[in-house]
């Protein structure tokens, strides 16, 4: 049997793999995409779809900001089912400590050209009348937006296929070989470049990869148009989301185009079981009701879980593997892979083609964690 040879094999049809495949195919590379399940069925289906500029570090800011600009440039070309909605974010301050954080964020973003607006209590309630009383203000980031991620992944795969990419759907990559991949059905594919973008499964395919699963829960309600108008996130989130060990919940809610409300979120390490954990779910909903008391009267339709792919330094791995000359990584995007998928795809292609990158790539290079593996 003749062995199929590609320029690039992309493992995983989540939003990151799909964006990378589209970027490579649009460049003219001969691409194969191998997806074990369905397109966008992993973390991409579980995620919230908040396209958000973040500032935990300069590197995180650079990649989220760059990616958001790419999303905005693409907005008109996105099909309707991607539901790109420029609702903006409001970071909510419950006390003076959190208000100080809102002001610090304001300065950080403003200095780097991101439009932000500090809200006092009056303007916070004007923007979001269903919030509980007693909050003291917040920070609005009008440039943030939301999408429906699985349809975005499908759109990127369709784009790649229009440019000739071949899709192997429902077929698992069993192993990465020296010159390609071996599939579960025994088929071997060869390529000049192999991209491991298998999200929280990526470590199973590449030895020594420090990518761990971080479980999250979400709930979706029935339709209540206008109940909230922005993606709302408590500033207390910054304290809880950073814990690398303890389970945490934080108030985070998103208005969907359908009028539904998507309620998050939780973070748990060292849990492999994907079932809904009612105790963490109750904590998460209690937290949300603390901020939006009216939520308690609304009906929810479904709760689910997903796994973020977490690296030790909370930055993704984008670029060549330190030891395998054909292997590139595009994984470890934790809670920001929907946002950063587009920036990842651009940075990956630039490295494959030996070109300058639009933002410095050093902080995301896999060598920082794989060279000592
Ligand atoms: C609760 C929750 C909320 C989130 N909210 C947000 C948010 O608001 N904004 C944001 O930017 N990010 C968010 N994220 C993060 C985001 O969802 C992920 O970072 C992103 O979806 C990762 O995409 P991916 O393509 O790397 O992984 P995945 O979507 O998991 O895709 C990996 C794919 O690889 C396939 N695969 C695995 N192993 C193999 C194999 N051996 N062979 C072939 N295929 C394989 C899987 O089937 C899967 O489809 C959230 C995540 C969670 C869990």
């Amino acid at each position: 049997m003749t062995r199929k040879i590609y320029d690039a094999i992309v493992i995983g049809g989540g939003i990151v793999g799909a964006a990378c495949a589209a970027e490579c195919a649009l460049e003219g590379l001969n691409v194969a995409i191998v997806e074990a399940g369905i397109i966008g069925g992993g973390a991409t289906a579980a995620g919230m779809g908040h396209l958000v500029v973040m500032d935990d570090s300069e590197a995180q800011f650079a990649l989220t900001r760059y990616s958001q600009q790419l999303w905005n440039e693409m907005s008109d070309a996105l099909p309707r089912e991607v539901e790109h909605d420029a609702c903006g974010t409001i970071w909510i301050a419950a006390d003076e400590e959190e208000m100080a954080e809102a002001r610090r964020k304001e300065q950080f973003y403003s200095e780097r050209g991101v439009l932000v607006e500090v809200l006092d209590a009056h303007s916070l309630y004007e923007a979001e009348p269903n919030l509980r009383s007693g909050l003291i203000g917040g920070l609005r980031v009008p440039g943030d937006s939301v999408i429906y991620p699985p349809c975005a992944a499908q759109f990127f795969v369709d784009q790649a296929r229009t440019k000739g990419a071949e899709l192997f759907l429902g077929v698992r990559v069993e192993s990465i070989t020296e010159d390609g991949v071996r599939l579960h059905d025994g088929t071997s594919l060869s390529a000049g470049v192999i991209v491991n973008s298998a999200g929280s499964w990526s470590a199973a395919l590449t030895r020594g990869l420090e990518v761990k699963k971080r479980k999250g829960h979400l709930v979706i309600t029935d339709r209540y148009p206008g109940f909230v108008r922005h993606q709302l996130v408590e500033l207390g989130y910054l304290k809880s989301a950073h814990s690398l060990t303890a389970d945490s919940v934080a108030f985070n809610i998103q208005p969907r185009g359908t009028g539904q409300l998507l309620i998050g979120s939780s973070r748990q390490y060292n849990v492999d079981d994907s079932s809904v954990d009612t105790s963490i779910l109750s904590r998460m909903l209690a937290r949300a009701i603390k901020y939006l008391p009216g939520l308690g009267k609304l009906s929810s339709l479904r709760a689910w879980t997903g796994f973020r792919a977490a690296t030790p330094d909370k930055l993704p791995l984008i670029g060549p593997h330190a030891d395998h000359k054909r292997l590139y990584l595009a994984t470890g995007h934790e809670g920001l892979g929907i946002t950063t998928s587009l920036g990842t795809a651009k940075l990956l292609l630039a490295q494959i083609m030996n070109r300058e990158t639009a933002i410095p790539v050093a902080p995301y290079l896999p060598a920082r964690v794989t060279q000592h593996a």
Side-chain angles (χ1 to χ4, degrees), residues 201-331:
W201 296 273
S202 53
L205 290 171
T206 301
R207 212 151 27 101
L209 210 59
E210 271 210 71
V211 174
K212 287 194 182 149
K213 290 182 169 180
R214 205 173 186 194
K215 185 175 176 181
H217 286 72
L218 292 177
V219 172
I220 190 127
T221 69
D222 212 335
R223 296 172 190 234
Y224 303 99
F227 187 81
V228 298
R229 302 161 183 170
H230 302 77
Q231 176 108 17
L232 303 179
V233 192
E234 62 165 303
L235 275 160
Y237 164 89
L238 300 166
K239 298 169 205 156
S240 59
H242 287 184
S243 165
L244 289 178
T245 47
D247 294 354
S248 64
V249 297
F251 168 59
N252 187 344
I253 194 166
Q254 178 181 101
R256 299 295 321 169
T258 53
Q260 292 171 285
L261 303 165
L262 186 52
I263 307 168
S265 62
S266 64
R267 280 178 148 82
Q268 290 171 283
Y269 271 120
N270 305 319
V271 184
D272 264 341
D273 175 8
S274 62
S275 58
V276 169
D277 173 340
T278 48
S279 79
I280 199 123
L281 192 69
S282 312
R283 271 176 65 194
M284 189 179 95
L285 289 174
R287 189 83 190 159
I289 290 169
K290 196 172 166 199
Y291 280 83
L292 287 165
L295 264 187
K297 297 201 185 76
L298 310 186
S299 60
S300 63
L301 297 181
R302 196 164 74 85
W304 65 89
T305 68
F307 291 98
R308 306 171 182 91
T311 60
D313 63 3
K314 294 187 234 124
L315 289 173
L317 307 171
I318 309 167
H321 186 270
D323 303 323
H324 186 316
K325 63 179 175 13
R326 295 192 188 203
L327 178 60
Y328 284 72
L329 304 175
T331 183

Side-chain angles (χ1 to χ4, degrees), residues 76-99:
D76 289 345
L78 292 170
R80 260 186 47 184
E81 59 270 21
V82 175
E83 297 176 10
H84 190 209
D85 177 8
C87 60
T89 304
I90 296 181
W91 295 91
I92 298 170
D95 54 29
E96 280 306 333
E97 188 190 355
E98 292 178 7
M99 202 61 212

Side-chain angles (χ1 to χ4, degrees), residues 73-252:
E73 283 165 22
M74 186 183 276
S75 182
D76 289 345
L78 292 170
R80 260 186 47 184
E81 59 270 21
V82 175
E83 297 176 10
H84 190 209
D85 177 8
C87 60
T89 304
I90 296 181
W91 295 91
I92 298 170
D95 54 29
E96 280 306 333
E97 188 190 355
E98 292 178 7
M99 202 61 212
E101 175 59 14
R103 291 199 191 89
R104 187 204 60 77
K105 266 172 109 60
E106 178 208 16
Q107 188 177 351
F108 184 96
Y109 286 130
S110 310
E111 283 171 2
R112 290 159 184 78
V114 179
L115 194 66
V116 288
E117 182 193 356
V118 170
L119 305 178
D120 60 13
H122 177 75
S123 30
L124 177 67
Y125 291 114
E126 219 168 50
E128 294 290 349
N130 285 316
L131 284 169
R132 73 162 162 89
S133 56
L135 298 166
I136 66 170
L139 184 77
R140 181 174 9 217
V141 188
D144 287 350
S145 53
V146 306
I147 57 161
Y148 184 55
C151 287
Q154 186 63 56
F155 172 64
F156 298 142
V157 168
D158 292 346
Q159 261 191 331
R161 293 185 77 192
T162 315
K163 293 289 174 188
E166 195 168 342
L167 175 62
F168 294 79
L169 196 58
V171 196
R172 189 155 51 81
V173 169
E174 195 69 47
S175 60
I176 296 174
T177 59
E178 216 163 286
D179 68 344
V181 298
R182 188 166 311 113
L183 306 184
H184 187 59
D185 64 7
T187 314
S188 288
L189 309 176
S190 300
V193 166
I194 307 145
V195 182
N196 181 351
S197 44
S200 64
W201 296 273
S202 53
L205 290 171
T206 301
R207 212 151 27 101
L209 210 59
E210 271 210 71
V211 174
K212 287 194 182 149
K213 290 182 169 180
R214 205 173 186 194
K215 185 175 176 181
H217 286 72
L218 292 177
V219 172
I220 190 127
T221 69
D222 212 335
R223 296 172 190 234
Y224 303 99
F227 187 81
V228 298
R229 302 161 183 170
H230 302 77
Q231 176 108 17
L232 303 179
V233 192
E234 62 165 303
L235 275 160
Y237 164 89
L238 300 166
K239 298 169 205 156
S240 59
H242 287 184
S243 165
L244 289 178
T245 47
D247 294 354
S248 64
V249 297
F251 168 59
N252 187 344

